[in-house]
Amino acid sequence: MARATLTTVQRMVYENLGISNGYGTLLTNARYPTGYIDDRIAEADIATVQLLMKHKQSALLPNPSTVNITTTSTTIPQNWEILNVNINGSWGIEIPIGLFEIIGSGIFNLTYDKYYSKWNGVLYVSAVGGTIGSGYITYLDLTHATSLSTLFSPSGFEAAVANLASSLLLMKRGDKPEQAKFYKGLYDDFMQKFFIPDTNRQDIISD
């Protein structure tokens, strides 16, 4: 899927903040220097991708990468968001590290060739006999360049990213909590469409 257009997001942020269109000078946009705006856009972009991941919307995200698994433990960079793990031709099941260690100990005599766990920057995979035959990790690398040049959020999410970035800027740089809350509300309303329903929420049934 195509990525959100950075220039569109930048234009929307400037409009939301009510400052000069395009990149003004520090003197003109004293409270919103260019670097600060780009930093908050990047922050909003990553937060949006992580929220989509949390709610199982990875199909919307563009251009994932893969890396082969060659050992039972693989260091994963901090900015990687793992989409899935393939172990010996099957999709792996993520479990907590404690359960991973218990199953690996053989206490429950369970098949041990389909589980993986992430702990302290390392992804652990399991396989029969403790060796890995073949596998790979599919991931998104959410590392932004020093000079912001592209976004990771999907096309169509420009307004959402701009609204969240505007909210962050209005709160942190402008000290305008009411305006910040307004744009955060717009962001939440848009993202709500992509959330998994809360299965723990009780519906109120009237007589």
Side-chain angles (χ1 to χ4, degrees):
M1 187 171 182
R3 300 188 183 207
T5 304
L6 175 60
T7 54
T8 301
V9 173
Q10 290 168 332
R11 186 178 68 251
M12 289 179 171
V13 169
Y14 269 79
E15 182 176 351
N16 290 346
L17 298 177
I19 56 182
S20 60
N21 188 26
Y23 284 99
T25 64
L26 180 57
L27 179 62
T28 303
N29 299 327
R31 298 194 66 81
Y32 302 104
T34 298
Y36 280 53
I37 292 174
D38 279 356
D39 286 347
R40 297 292 76 80
I41 290 175
E43 182 180 351
D45 180 43
I46 291 173
T48 299
V49 170
Q50 290 176 332
L51 201 54
L52 289 172
M53 293 271 300
K54 178 181 178 182
H55 290 277
K56 313 299 183 185
Q57 300 291 341
S58 57
L60 296 174
L61 302 175
N63 303 323
S65 301
T66 60
V67 62
N68 289 332
I69 299 172
T70 57
T71 65
T72 53
S73 61
T74 304
T75 300
I76 50 177
Q78 181 179 0
N79 291 333
W80 280 17
E81 285 289 334
I82 306 301
L83 299 177
N84 52 60
V85 177
N86 188 288
I87 304 170
N88 291 334
S90 300
W91 297 120
I93 300 171
E94 182 177 5
I95 57 176
I97 187 64
L99 181 58
F100 182 89
E101 292 174 343
I102 291 172
I103 293 176
S105 69
I107 293 176
F108 298 118
N109 193 29
L110 295 174
T111 302
Y112 186 51
D113 60 353
K114 59 183 178 181
Y115 300 106
Y116 73 94
S117 186
K118 293 177 287 187
W119 175 255
N120 201 25
V122 178
L123 186 143
Y124 299 93
V125 298
S126 53
V128 176
T131 59
I132 182 72
S134 63
Y136 59 88
I137 301 169
T138 305
Y139 67 95
L140 287 175
D141 184 353
L142 300 184
T143 304
H144 277 295
T146 303
S147 179
L148 190 62
S149 58
T150 189
L151 299 175
F152 299 110
S153 297
S155 177
F157 282 68
E158 285 85 356
V161 174
N163 285 331
L164 182 56
S166 299
S167 175
L168 294 168
L169 286 159
L170 285 163
M171 180 62 75
K172 295 182 178 182
R173 296 294 300 174
D175 193 23
K176 297 178 179 178
E178 290 303 318
Q179 290 186 37
K181 183 178 179 180
F182 171 75
Y183 285 110
K184 180 58 163 58
L186 293 178
Y187 176 79
D188 291 341
D189 288 345
F190 180 87
M191 295 300 295
Q192 191 71 37
K193 296 178 291 186
F194 302 93
F195 289 177
I196 296 174
D198 185 356
T199 55
N200 294 322
R201 185 180 61 196
Q202 293 183 343
D203 293 328
I204 299 174
I205 301 176
S206 58
D207 293 332

